[in-house]
Amino acid sequence: MLNDLEINHHNHQSVLKLIDELFTSYSKVMVVRVDLSYLKIAMEGVSPQLIKQQISAMLTNNSRHNALFEHLITYAWCLEYGTERQWHAHLFLFFNGQKVCHDIYYSMEVCKYWVNIMTQRAGTGFSCNAKQDQYNTNSLGMINRNDTDKIQALKEATKYICKQDLNIEQGQWRDQGGKKIRTMFIGRL
């Protein structure tokens, strides 16, 4: 059985493989990064199962029925628990760059959709694309297949969603029956 560090390493290797496959299959990929959570007044009723269900519905059902997600290729996201925001998620969304542009617009729209539709105004969203100047590397927005520096920066940035979390060791990542909760979700091409 794998320990937590081995699982994190395995998850990151899976994300790296996904990124390599993306740029093998697509000449341009628009990368959107958002953080999704809930308002403090709504946190009490939020379980890891609820946030997973809502994000999964947003990404899978809406990719077929919602123009916002029409050109979504795939995703990688993680579920975390913190003392201030409690259950929340960090998402990397990968869109076909031949079909869409304006990454900040898309990231803001994903956040609005989360807040208004998926959580019925009980959620909050943060657009990392809109605050790219706060990050050390430029790993978001439109990335061309030949831009190896930006692809490498993206790979480095995805370490964050695969990192070990102290709450894992403190037992926050177990359901009521004591079973470990899955916290990493990686889409397919």
Side-chain angles (χ1 to χ4, degrees):
M1 188 163 181
L2 297 174
N3 67 37
D4 291 330
L5 285 176
E6 291 169 327
I7 291 170
N8 293 341
H9 178 74
H10 172 76
N11 286 340
H12 193 239
Q13 292 303 309
S14 296
V15 172
L16 296 179
K17 181 180 177 198
L18 178 68
I19 291 169
D20 288 340
E21 290 172 358
L22 272 169
F23 288 100
T24 298
S25 301
Y26 294 86
S27 61
K28 289 180 6 180
V29 175
M30 187 178 75
V31 180
V32 167
R33 166 111 193 280
V34 295
D35 297 338
L36 305 176
S37 59
Y38 298 87
L39 297 170
K40 288 187 185 224
I41 60 170
M43 286 180 182
E44 189 172 316
V46 175
S47 67
Q49 291 79 10
L50 175 64
I51 192 170
K52 288 191 308 186
Q53 177 187 10
Q54 288 177 319
I55 292 173
S56 293
M58 182 175 75
L59 297 177
T60 55
N61 297 340
N62 290 317
S63 65
R64 292 178 292 218
H65 306 293
N66 185 322
L68 177 62
F69 297 98
E70 180 180 1
H71 299 292
L72 177 68
I73 302 167
T74 192
Y75 55 84
W77 66 277
C78 74
L79 183 62
E80 287 186 353
Y81 185 89
T83 53
E84 190 171 316
R85 289 195 300 162
Q86 297 188 9
W87 291 109
H88 61 280
H90 303 283
L91 288 76
F92 280 89
L93 305 174
F94 304 100
F95 291 87
N96 183 343
Q98 295 291 345
K99 304 284 186 178
V100 297
C101 57
H102 307 296
D103 61 293
I104 294 172
Y105 168 80
Y106 269 80
S107 66
M108 299 296 284
E109 289 299 307
V110 169
C111 290
K112 285 181 195 174
Y113 192 83
W114 170 256
V115 170
N116 296 322
I117 305 301
M118 299 310 299
T119 67
Q120 301 293 303
R121 293 191 170 79
T124 64
F126 177 80
S127 164
C128 299
N129 293 65
K131 303 289 185 179
Q132 288 184 55
D133 58 334
Q134 295 179 2
Y135 298 96
N136 294 332
T137 60
N138 180 10
S139 61
L140 303 177
M142 194 64 72
I143 304 178
N144 291 302
R145 170 187 290 157
N146 298 328
D147 192 344
T148 55
D149 291 341
K150 199 163 180 181
I151 293 170
Q152 187 56 42
L154 172 63
K155 289 178 176 183
E156 286 296 313
T158 60
K159 284 182 180 178
Y160 182 81
I161 65 169
C162 302
K163 72 183 185 315
Q164 183 180 20
D165 193 299
L166 292 176
N167 291 312
I168 293 172
E169 296 173 11
Q170 296 169 357
Q172 296 289 347
W173 301 96
R174 298 191 182 274
D175 64 17
Q176 293 174 343
K179 183 179 173 190
K180 275 194 171 184
I181 296 170
R182 182 177 171 202
T183 59
M184 186 74 203
F185 303 86
I186 303 168
R188 297 183 181 159
L189 289 185

